[in-house]
């Protein structure tokens, strides 16, 4: 049974910009006569590649625009799927996406209500979700700062960010300035400041540690998995699939996703390590052992969704809306 968890969106590549070394920026529009779905800052889409690979890219444009923008880093490791995007995907070509979905929401309204300052921390291509966040912060009249770290000549979107954010933007060009001093940036922030961060795992880890030291609220999106914790329920458990009318047993050495698919229930998936959010599945009943790198502690406590490529039951039986 097919149960796509996010709607498909068919788009056309209308522009391809290679002016920043190591990055390709794509502009996408809906097919004629169709509209692009709404999205909010921090959202990403799944790109469904012809090989079957599914890869996630943050939307780097502005919500409400009839153009979507993706920034793709050319990775040395082709496993990331960037080679096809950077070398084969050309203007005029059709592309199928799923989403958009948001695991990295930006609460401009909440910050405005409390008068909370906002610090946006980006490294490299991690700038993409922070572009619409910075624009939203400016629109909402927030006291915000954007710190953008990267290598000389390889910082995509820099000119437009300088024009849009002026003195609120600080660049940390590694060849010129060395690494951004995250302890100093966050240590000198006002109490109540909210921090939003995106970039490589080491950058996020350092920023998270600096935010914790400074007692600041920290929000991020990880594209690299955190270490898996030992399972809470070490034995096999049953998973009832309410929509399919099936119950399957998941042994300790296999994932729910594997067992569900083996039983003919299709779930869109990509990373298989709990970082991309593609296999998000609604939960109807049961205690959960969340082992993903996506949900916040509050979202985990709600227990209404799980990422079945890595997360498990914390009890003998759970019920999923599959
Ligand atoms: S497939 Fe990526 S979170 Fe499950």
């Amino acid at each position: 049974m097919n149960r796509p968890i996010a709607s498909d969106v068919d788009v056309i590549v209308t522009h391809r910009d290679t002016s920043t070394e190591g990055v390709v920026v794509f502009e996408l529009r809906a097919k004629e006569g169709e509209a692009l779905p709404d999205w909010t800052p921090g959202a990403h889409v799944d790109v469904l590649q012809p090989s079957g690979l599914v890869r996630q890219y943050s939307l780097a444009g502005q919500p409400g625009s009839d153009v979507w923008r993706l920034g793709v880093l050319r990775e040395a490791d082709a496993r990331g799927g960037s080679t096809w995007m950077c070398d084969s995907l050309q203007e005029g070509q059709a592309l199928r996406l799923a989403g958009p979905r948001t695991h990295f929401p930006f609460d401009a309204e909440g910050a405005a209500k409390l008068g909370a300052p906002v610090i946006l921390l980006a490294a490299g291509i991690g700038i993409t979700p922070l572009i619409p966040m910075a624009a939203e912060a400016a629109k909402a009249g927030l006291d915000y700062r954007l710190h953008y770290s990267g290598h000389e000549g390889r910082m995509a979107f820099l000119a437009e960010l300088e024009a849009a954010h002026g003195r609120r933007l600080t660049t940390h060009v590694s060849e010129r300035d060395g690494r951004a001093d995250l302890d100093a940036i966050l240590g000198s922030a006002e109490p109540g400041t909210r921090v939003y961060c995106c970039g490589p795992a080491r950058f996020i880890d350092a920023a998270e540690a600096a935010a914790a030291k400074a007692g600041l609220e920290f929000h991020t999106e990880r594209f690299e998995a955190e270490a898996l914790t030992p399972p809470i329920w070490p034995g096999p458990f049953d998973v009832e699939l309410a929509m399919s009318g099936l119950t399957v047993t998941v042994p300790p050495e296999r994932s729910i996703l594997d067992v569900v698919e083996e039983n003919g229930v299709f779930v869109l998936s990509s990373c298989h390590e709990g970082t991309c959010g593609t296999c998000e599945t609604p939960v109807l009943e049961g205690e959960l052992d969340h082992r993903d790198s996506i949900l916040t502690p509050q979202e985990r406590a709600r227990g209404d969704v799980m990422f079945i490529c890595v997360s498990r039951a914390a009890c003998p039986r759970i019920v999923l809306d599959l």
Side-chain angles (χ1 to χ4, degrees), residues 39-42 59-63 69 106 108 118 120 127-142 144-146 160-161 163-165 168:
W39 59 282
T40 54
L59 290 171
Q62 299 310 323
R69 211 163 51 148
F106 180 62
V118 167
L120 305 166
I127 190 65
T128 49
L130 302 192
I131 294 169
M133 289 187 190
E136 180 98 346
K139 200 165 114 192
L142 301 183
Y144 72 98
R145 295 284 182 278
L146 171 59
E160 70 173 62
L161 290 169
H165 302 292
R168 292 187 180 275

Side-chain angles (χ1 to χ4, degrees), residues 11-305:
V11 296
I12 303 288
V13 177
T14 51
H15 188 62
R16 193 188 136 91
D17 178 351
T18 55
S19 58
T20 302
E21 192 188 334
V23 174
V24 181
V25 176
F26 293 96
E27 286 186 2
L28 313 170
R29 288 176 189 265
K31 281 189 165 170
E32 212 177 316
E34 293 175 19
L36 293 172
D38 288 339
W39 59 282
T40 54
H44 71 264
V45 289
D46 297 309
V47 173
L48 314 180
Q49 299 189 9
S51 66
L53 272 180
V54 181
R55 287 296 175 259
Q56 293 67 44
Y57 296 98
S58 296
L59 290 171
Q62 299 310 323
S65 164
D66 55 3
V67 179
W68 279 0
R69 211 163 51 148
L70 310 180
V72 180
L73 177 69
R74 184 185 292 279
E75 293 161 297
D77 172 9
R79 178 183 166 269
S82 69
T83 306
W84 180 78
M85 294 287 286
C86 294
D87 294 341
S88 302
L89 186 60
Q90 302 298 331
E91 285 175 17
Q93 216 167 310
L95 189 63
R96 174 155 285 189
L97 312 175
R101 69 179 105 217
T102 309
H103 295 126
F104 185 31
F106 180 62
D107 183 13
E109 207 180 307
K113 258 188 213 150
L114 295 172
V118 167
I119 293 180
L120 305 166
L121 297 174
I125 201 66
I127 190 65
T128 49
L130 302 192
I131 294 169
M133 289 187 190
E136 180 98 346
K139 200 165 114 192
L142 301 183
D143 175 9
Y144 72 98
R145 295 284 182 278
L146 171 59
H147 291 265
Y148 182 12
S149 299
H151 291 288
E152 184 90 61
R154 298 174 67 97
M155 295 171 72
F157 308 105
L158 187 54
E160 70 173 62
L161 290 169
E162 284 169 340
H165 302 292
R167 63 178 184 81
R168 292 187 180 275
L169 169 70
T170 305
T171 54
H172 305 269
V173 180
S174 48
E175 290 77 2
R176 187 189 68 200
D177 313 313
R179 289 228 174 113
D181 186 343
L182 297 169
D183 280 326
I185 294 167
L186 300 185
S188 59
E190 272 181 48
T193 296
R194 295 172 174 194
V195 182
Y196 291 81
C197 175
C198 192
R202 274 200 322 189
F203 179 79
I204 295 176
D205 290 344
E208 191 166 21
K213 211 193 296 179
L216 304 179
E217 190 180 300
F218 186 77
H219 304 263
T220 190
E221 179 169 47
R222 289 180 183 271
F223 291 102
E224 291 166 60
E226 292 179 279
L228 279 185
T229 49
I232 295 172
W233 183 268
F237 55 88
D238 287 340
V239 179
E240 185 182 329
L241 309 175
M243 279 166 51
S244 315
L246 282 176
T247 297
V248 299
T249 301
V250 180
E253 69 283 2
R254 300 192 67 196
S255 69
I256 299 177
L257 177 64
D258 277 353
V259 175
V260 159
E261 291 207 315
E262 185 179 78
N263 283 274
V265 178
F266 175 76
V267 178
L268 197 60
S269 63
S270 169
C271 70
H272 293 206
E273 60 179 18
T275 54
C276 72
T278 309
C279 69
E280 180 174 0
T281 301
V283 178
L284 301 175
E285 232 180 279
E287 295 297 311
L288 306 176
D289 178 7
H290 291 290
R291 291 146 56 88
D292 61 85
S293 305
I294 301 165
L295 296 177
T296 63
Q298 295 78 12
E299 289 166 337
R300 288 182 174 205
R302 281 209 299 271
D304 54 356
V305 294

